[in-house]
Amino acid sequence: MATIGGLAERLAEVVGDSHVLATPGAMEPYACDESSLAPHFPDLVVRPGSTAEVSRVLREASLRGVPVTPRGLGTGLTGGAVPVRGGLVLSLERMDRVLEVDEANLVAVVQPGLRLQELHRAVESRGLFYPPDPASLESCSIGGNVAVNAGGPRAARYGITRHYVLGVEAVLADGRVMRYGGKTIKNTTGYALPHVLIGSEGTLAVITEVTVRLLPLPREQVDVLVPFPDAGGAARAVGEIVLGKRVIPAAVELMDRAAVTAAARFLGREVPHRDAGAQLLIQLDGNDRDDLEAQVEALGGLCLDHGAADVLVATGPQARERLWSARRAVLEAVKRLAAHADFLDVAVPRARIPDFLDRIGTVAPAWGLDLAAWGHAADGNIHLAAYCPKPDPDWPRALGTLTAAVHGAALDLGGVIASEHGIGCLKRRYLGQALDSSSVELMRGVKEVFDPQGILNPGKILP
Amino acid sequence: MATIGGLAERLAEVVGDSHVLATPGAMEPYACDESSLAPHFPDLVVRPGSTAEVSRVLREASLRGVPVTPRGLGTGLTGGAVPVRGGLVLSLERMDRVLEVDEANLVAVVQPGLRLQELHRAVESRGLFYPPDPASLESCSIGGNVAVNAGGPRAARYGITRHYVLGVEAVLADGRVMRYGGKTIKNTTGYALPHVLIGSEGTLAVITEVTVRLLPLPREQVDVLVPFPDAGGAARAVGEIVLGKRVIPAAVELMDRAAVTAAARFLGREVPHRDAGAQLLIQLDGNDRDDLEAQVEALGGLCLDHGAADVLVATGPQARERLWSARRAVLEAVKRLAAHADFLDVAVPRARIPDFLDRIGTVAPAWGLDLAAWGHAADGNIHLAAYCPKPDPDWPRALGTLTAAVHGAALDLGGVIASEHGIGCLKRRYLGQALDSSSVELMRGVKEVFDPQGILNPGKILP
C-alpha cells in the first residue's frame, strides 16, 4: 500500500524545500503533457538535482510503495509523463547540463533534463552534429527523447535516438544506480541494457545521464519546398527521390493541404502554394556546395516529372527557418484552431504511404471529422490530426472509430501504431492489437525484473 | 533433469532422419567455433528447415529440459556456439535464404543461416547496400551477426548490426514464436524486444527471420594503404582524419607490423611496406568520383604530415581485394603460424588508442608472448592476438595475465572488454570486472524471463 504521509518532509531533506511542490498551483504544470489526456495531479512533485538525489528519492518511494512518474520537459504526446496513478512526479528539469562535449571521440555526455536544442547548439558550435530532431526540439528534453526513442525528420538518413545512445546511467526503482556503456560505438558486454531502457518511457528505470555519439556537422545544407497537386502524388515522388538519386535526403517532410493551412493560419503568415494538395519539404546536406546544387537540380526535375507545380529553394538561414517553423507548427496549430483535436502517430513501409493515405482518406469525412496528415515521408512515419472545428458531443466516439480504422490500416500495410511518440497511457489499449501475446508477456516479464513493485510510471505501455 | 532418451527419434520425425546427427564424425564440425575453446560434443545435432521445425524442436527440448545451443555458421570467436553443456546443437544452416529484397522500401528479409556475403551480393546487385562487414563475411551467417551484434570495419561510419535490424521473428525456449517489428525504421510499440535479442548470443531465443534496413549503394569507392613508422603515430593520425576532413571514412583499419607480417607469410605474398611499424587501410565511399579523389588527396596529405611514409591508392577492384584479403587474413594467419594463439577484442574511445597501445606494448614481452594488434581504428575497436611461436607449458598462465592486463587497460581508458565478438563462454569470467553488479543482476532477470528453464545456450554470457 502506498503511503504518502511524511514523504514530503523526507524528500525536502533530500532535495531542499523549494524542490518539493505540493500545492495544486505549483503542481499544475506537471499534471499534463502535450497530449489530449486530461490533467492528473500527483501527490507531490520532486525535482532532484543530481543522480544521488534521484537515488534517494526512489529509495524513499520504493520503501513506501509510492508510484513515481519520471518526467523530462513534458512534451510527450501519449500521456507518458502524466501521473495517472498519483504519487510522485520526479521531474528531471534541474539536471539539464551538457557535462562534456568530447570532440576527439565524437561523443557528448549530457543530463536528461537538457533541452534538445541546447544539445544541438553545444555540438554544432564545435562543428559536430547530433541528428535526432523531433519537431518539439525547442522544448523537449534529451531524457524524454531517450525514454520514447524519439525520431524526427532526419531519421530516414541519420536514424533515430536509439542509434546515437552509447551509454546510460540510470537509477533503478529501489534506488540502485547502474551504468552501462560509454564512449565506444561497439559494445557486446552481455545484454544491451541501454536498449532495453530506450523507449521504455520511464517504466523501467530513471535515466540520469546519457552518452551520445556525434557526427561531423555537414558543411552545407539546402532546403527545398515542392508543392504537389495531391498527397498521394507527393508520397509517390518520395520513393523515386530516394531510389533514383542514390542518396537518402536528410529529411523529406510531407504536409497535406489541411496541415499547411492550419500552420499558415496559426502563424498568421502567407505560405507559398498554400492551396497545393500537399507539399514536400526536402532537406539535403553534405560538404560540397556544387554537389548539393546538382542534387537539388536533379531532385527538382524528378519532382516536376512527378507532377510538382514548382520547386522553391530556400536561400539562407532565414528562409530555411521559415519553412521549418511552419512545418513544426502544424501540431500546435491544429490544437489551437480546433474545438477537439487528437493526434495519431503511425508508420508504414515507405512505399505504402500512398495506399495508406488512400485508405484513411475516406474514413474521417464519414464520421464528420477533419483530418490533417503530415510527417516524415522518407521513413514512412505519418502523423495525423483528427479534429472538429466546433464542439461536438459525438467527438469521443468518432475519434475512437477513426483511431481504430487508422491503426488497422497501418497494421494491414505492415506498419506500426506507435512510431516515434510511444505508447504512454493513450495507446495502451491498442498494444494487444499491435503485438502478439508472447511479446506482451515478455514485456511484462521485463517490467517485473526492473521494477518488481511496479512503482515506476504505472499505467503506461502495458495494458 | 535433462533426458535425451528417445529424443533423436522424435526429432527425426520433425526434421527428417538426415538432419539429426548423432555420430562423433558427423557432429565434429559442431563441437567448435573459431575460438581457442576446446571441442565440446553435443548429444545430438539437429538441423531444422523452417520456423515451424525450430518451434517443434524447442518444444521437445523444453519438455525434456535438454540444453539447446543455437548455431549459425560457427565463426564466433568466444565459444558462443559451442555446446559446452551438451544437449542439442540447433544448427540454422539450412535456413539460409534471402526471402525478399524490397527495393521500394529499402529492406531485406532473410533467414538466419544466410551467409553475410550472400546478403551483400543479393542487395549490391540491385544497387543497395547492407553495411555491416565483419572480417568473416565470407563464412559467417547473418543470424550469428545478429546474435553477437557484429560490427566490422564500416561501423564507425555506418554503424553496427543493431543499427540495421528492423524486425525479428524468434522462437522462444518453449517453442512459441514471436514477431516484433518489420519494414519501418521507427517503432515505439512497447519495449524494444529485438534489441534485447540482438547481442544475446542465443541465450534468450532462437532468431528465425530478420528484417534489415538497406541503404543506397555508394557509386564509388577508393581504398588507400598508408604505412606509418609506428602504430601510435598511425592511431594519432586517425583522429585528425575524422575531425580534419569532416567526413568519417567508410573504414580506417589499423594493422601493426606483426599483423601485416603474419598475413603476408600466411598468404605467401609480397606486401608493400611490410616493414612499416603500422599500416592504415582506409576506405572512402560516395557518389562523386571527383569529390572522392579530392578527399583522398587531402587525406593523403594529412597522413604524410603525420609521418606516413607513403600513400598508396588501390586502383580497381583487384588491387582493392588484395588489400582487404590481407587485412581479413590476419586472424587466420596468426592461428596457423603460432603454436599457441588467442584473440582479444576490446574497444577504447578512439582518441585513447595511442594510450592503449602504449600500455599494452610492454605487457606481452614481459611474459614472453608475441602480440599482434589490428582493428577498426575509426571506432576504437582493437583486436589483439597473443601468441607463442613454439609450444610453451607456461602459455595458459601467461595468456591469463596478459588478458587481465589488456582488459584492465581497456576499462581504465573508458573502454569495453567485448567489442564485437561477444562474451560467449571465454569471457564469462570477466563479466563482473566489466559491469556493475546491478547490471549483471538485471541480465540474470532478463534471462529468466525469456528462458525460465535455462535451456538456451547454457554456460554463456552470465557467470
Side-chain angles (χ1 to χ4, degrees):
Chain A
M1 265 306 289
T3 153
I4 299 286
L7 184 55
E9 294 70 23
R10 187 69 199 92
L11 294 177
E13 290 169 27
V14 174
V15 301
D17 283 342
S18 58
H19 298 302
V20 179
L21 313 179
T23 65
M27 295 197 296
E28 195 188 358
Y30 302 89
C32 298
D33 63 1
E34 295 291 328
S35 75
S36 61
L37 185 64
H40 288 72
F41 278 76
D43 294 297
L44 297 169
V45 173
V46 57
R47 302 188 297 203
S50 67
T51 300
E53 289 183 8
V54 172
S55 167
R56 291 171 67 192
V57 168
L58 281 167
R59 205 155 55 227
E60 295 299 333
S62 67
L63 286 172
R64 291 165 169 83
V66 170
V68 177
T69 301
R71 183 182 179 95
L73 293 173
T75 60
L77 290 162
T78 57
V82 178
V84 292
R85 304 272 169 89
L88 299 183
V89 162
L90 192 164
S91 169
L92 294 147
E93 68 200 286
R94 290 175 61 216
M95 295 176 65
D96 63 351
R97 281 181 303 143
V98 176
L99 298 175
E100 186 185 6
V101 177
D102 180 344
E103 296 184 48
N105 288 306
L106 290 178
V107 295
V109 184
V110 301
Q111 291 187 310
L114 179 71
R115 277 196 306 132
L116 178 57
Q117 192 172 52
E118 294 301 318
L119 173 58
H120 283 169
R121 284 183 182 145
V123 303
E124 288 173 16
S125 66
R126 292 167 165 91
L128 302 174
F129 185 34
Y130 177 74
D133 61 340
S136 55
L137 60 88
E138 292 175 20
S139 49
C140 66
S141 70
I142 182 75
N145 291 177
V146 174
V148 80
N149 190 19
R154 292 195 288 234
R157 179 169 167 89
Y158 287 107
I160 53 186
T161 300
R162 181 183 303 287
H163 297 146
Y164 291 87
V165 175
L166 300 178
V168 299
E169 177 192 77
V171 182
L172 301 176
D174 60 8
R176 279 178 301 158
V177 180
M178 62 152 282
R179 297 184 67 91
Y180 184 105
K183 293 184 179 178
T184 67
I185 289 174
K186 295 171 179 169
N187 187 357
T188 56
T189 316
Y191 307 150
L193 297 178
H195 289 278
V196 185
L197 297 184
I198 296 165
S200 70
E201 306 187 36
T203 63
L204 300 181
V206 178
I207 293 166
T208 47
E209 189 185 297
V210 186
T211 301
V212 296
R213 180 166 72 104
L214 305 173
L215 301 179
L217 183 67
R219 283 199 180 87
E220 303 283 348
Q221 187 179 312
V222 182
D223 295 86
V224 183
L225 190 74
V226 190
F228 281 83
D230 64 274
R236 276 184 289 277
V238 174
E240 299 296 318
I241 289 167
V242 173
L243 294 177
K245 289 305 305 155
R246 292 280 277 271
V247 171
I248 298 178
V252 183
E253 298 292 293
L254 172 73
M255 288 162 287
D256 74 1
R257 180 171 12 216
V260 173
T261 304
R265 275 183 61 198
F266 175 67
L267 296 170
R269 262 199 218 159
E270 267 315 296
V271 168
H273 292 276
R274 178 171 164 170
D275 289 331
Q279 300 191 348
L280 291 182
L281 171 53
I282 304 170
Q283 183 171 95
L284 299 166
D285 63 8
N287 286 326
D288 187 278
R289 191 79 205 168
D290 293 343
D291 182 38
L292 275 194
E293 281 173 6
Q295 282 186 44
V296 168
E297 184 117 347
L299 182 151
L302 202 149
C303 287
L304 293 171
D305 289 348
H306 279 76
D310 203 346
V311 176
L312 304 164
V313 180
T315 48
Q318 274 189 320
R320 204 146 65 204
E321 188 45 38
R322 272 179 76 86
L323 294 182
W324 279 97
S325 61
R327 158 64 190 89
R328 291 193 186 114
V330 173
L331 192 141
E332 198 59 26
V334 172
K335 241 192 218 181
R336 296 287 182 84
L337 299 172
H340 306 290
D342 210 344
F343 302 94
L344 297 167
D345 162 47
V346 300
V348 294
R350 189 192 56 240
R352 309 306 298 270
I353 297 179
D355 297 335
F356 176 75
L357 294 175
D358 280 352
R359 287 181 61 161
I360 60 160
T362 54
V363 180
W367 283 86
L369 296 179
D370 288 325
L371 203 62
W374 70 100
H376 317 302
D379 62 44
N381 181 191
I382 299 293
H383 300 305
L384 296 166
Y387 56 101
C388 279
K390 295 183 188 153
D392 180 348
D394 211 28
W395 158 254
R397 200 160 63 92
L399 177 68
T401 309
L402 176 75
T403 301
V406 167
H407 287 173
L411 293 171
D412 277 357
L413 295 167
V416 299
I417 65 160
S419 184
E420 57 177 13
H421 297 165
I423 295 291
C425 180
L426 293 174
K427 287 189 176 175
R428 282 170 76 204
R429 77 186 81 163
Y430 305 110
L431 202 74
Q433 180 190 8
L435 298 178
D436 56 39
S437 60
S438 298
S439 294
V440 175
E441 198 179 306
L442 290 170
M443 290 180 191
R444 277 192 208 290
V446 169
K447 168 72 176 172
E448 276 179 37
V449 167
F450 279 79
D451 177 22
Q453 283 180 285
I455 62 168
L456 277 176
N457 213 0
K460 307 299 162 62
I461 298 185
L462 291 163
Chain B
M1 266 305 291
T3 154
I4 299 287
L7 184 55
E9 294 69 24
R10 188 68 200 92
L11 294 178
E13 290 169 25
V14 174
V15 300
D17 283 341
S18 58
H19 298 302
V20 179
L21 313 179
T23 65
M27 295 197 296
E28 196 188 358
Y30 302 89
C32 298
D33 63 0
E34 296 290 328
S35 76
S36 61
L37 185 64
H40 288 72
F41 278 76
D43 294 297
L44 297 169
V45 173
V46 56
R47 302 187 298 202
S50 67
T51 300
E53 289 183 8
V54 173
S55 167
R56 290 171 66 193
V57 168
L58 281 168
R59 205 156 55 227
E60 296 298 334
S62 67
L63 286 173
R64 291 166 170 83
V66 171
V68 177
T69 300
R71 184 181 178 95
L73 294 173
T75 60
L77 290 162
T78 58
V82 177
V84 293
R85 303 272 168 89
L88 300 183
V89 163
L90 192 163
S91 169
L92 294 147
E93 69 200 286
R94 291 175 60 215
M95 295 176 65
D96 64 350
R97 281 182 303 144
V98 176
L99 298 174
E100 186 185 7
V101 177
D102 180 345
E103 297 184 49
N105 288 306
L106 289 177
V107 296
V109 184
V110 301
Q111 291 187 310
L114 179 71
R115 278 196 305 133
L116 177 57
Q117 192 172 50
E118 294 300 318
L119 172 58
H120 284 169
R121 284 183 181 145
V123 303
E124 287 174 16
S125 67
R126 292 167 165 91
L128 302 174
F129 186 34
Y130 177 74
D133 62 340
S136 56
L137 59 88
E138 292 175 19
S139 49
C140 66
S141 69
I142 182 75
N145 291 177
V146 173
V148 81
N149 191 18
R154 292 194 289 233
R157 180 171 166 88
Y158 287 107
I160 53 186
T161 300
R162 180 183 303 287
H163 296 147
Y164 292 88
V165 176
L166 300 178
V168 299
E169 177 192 77
V171 181
L172 301 176
D174 60 7
R176 279 178 301 157
V177 180
M178 61 151 283
R179 297 184 67 92
Y180 184 105
K183 293 184 179 177
T184 67
I185 289 175
K186 295 171 179 169
N187 188 357
T188 56
T189 316
Y191 306 151
L193 296 179
H195 289 278
V196 185
L197 297 184
I198 296 165
S200 69
E201 306 187 37
T203 62
L204 300 181
V206 178
I207 293 167
T208 47
E209 189 185 296
V210 186
T211 302
V212 295
R213 179 166 72 102
L214 305 174
L215 301 179
L217 183 67
R219 284 199 179 87
E220 303 284 347
Q221 187 179 311
V222 181
D223 295 86
V224 184
L225 191 74
V226 190
F228 281 83
D230 63 274
R236 277 184 289 277
V238 174
E240 299 296 318
I241 290 167
V242 173
L243 293 177
K245 289 306 305 157
R246 291 281 276 272
V247 170
I248 298 178
V252 184
E253 298 293 293
L254 172 73
M255 288 162 287
D256 74 1
R257 180 170 15 214
V260 172
T261 304
R265 276 184 58 198
F266 175 67
L267 296 170
R269 260 198 218 161
E270 268 313 297
V271 168
H273 292 276
R274 179 171 163 171
D275 290 331
Q279 300 192 348
L280 291 183
L281 172 54
I282 304 170
Q283 183 170 95
L284 299 166
D285 62 8
N287 286 327
D288 187 278
R289 191 80 204 167
D290 293 344
D291 182 38
L292 274 196
E293 281 173 6
Q295 281 186 45
V296 168
E297 184 118 349
L299 181 151
L302 201 149
C303 288
L304 293 170
D305 289 348
H306 280 76
D310 203 348
V311 176
L312 305 165
V313 180
T315 48
Q318 275 189 318
R320 204 147 64 204
E321 188 45 37
R322 272 180 76 86
L323 293 182
W324 279 98
S325 61
R327 159 63 191 88
R328 291 193 187 115
V330 173
L331 191 140
E332 199 59 25
V334 172
K335 241 193 219 181
R336 297 287 181 85
L337 299 173
H340 306 290
D342 211 346
F343 302 94
L344 297 166
D345 161 48
V346 301
V348 294
R350 189 193 54 242
R352 308 307 298 270
I353 297 179
D355 297 335
F356 176 75
L357 293 175
D358 280 352
R359 287 181 60 161
I360 61 159
T362 54
V363 180
W367 283 86
L369 297 178
D370 288 326
L371 203 63
W374 70 99
H376 317 301
D379 63 45
N381 180 191
I382 299 293
H383 300 304
L384 295 166
Y387 56 101
C388 279
K390 293 182 189 155
D392 180 348
D394 211 27
W395 158 255
R397 200 161 63 94
L399 177 68
T401 309
L402 177 75
T403 302
V406 168
H407 287 174
L411 292 171
D412 277 357
L413 294 167
V416 299
I417 66 160
S419 183
E420 56 178 13
H421 296 166
I423 296 291
C425 180
L426 292 174
K427 288 189 176 176
R428 282 170 77 205
R429 77 186 82 164
Y430 305 109
L431 202 74
Q433 180 190 7
L435 298 178
D436 57 39
S437 61
S438 298
S439 294
V440 175
E441 197 179 305
L442 290 170
M443 290 180 190
R444 278 192 208 289
V446 169
K447 168 73 177 171
E448 278 180 36
V449 167
F450 279 79
D451 177 23
Q453 282 181 285
I455 61 167
L456 277 176
N457 213 359
K460 307 299 162 62
I461 299 184
L462 290 163

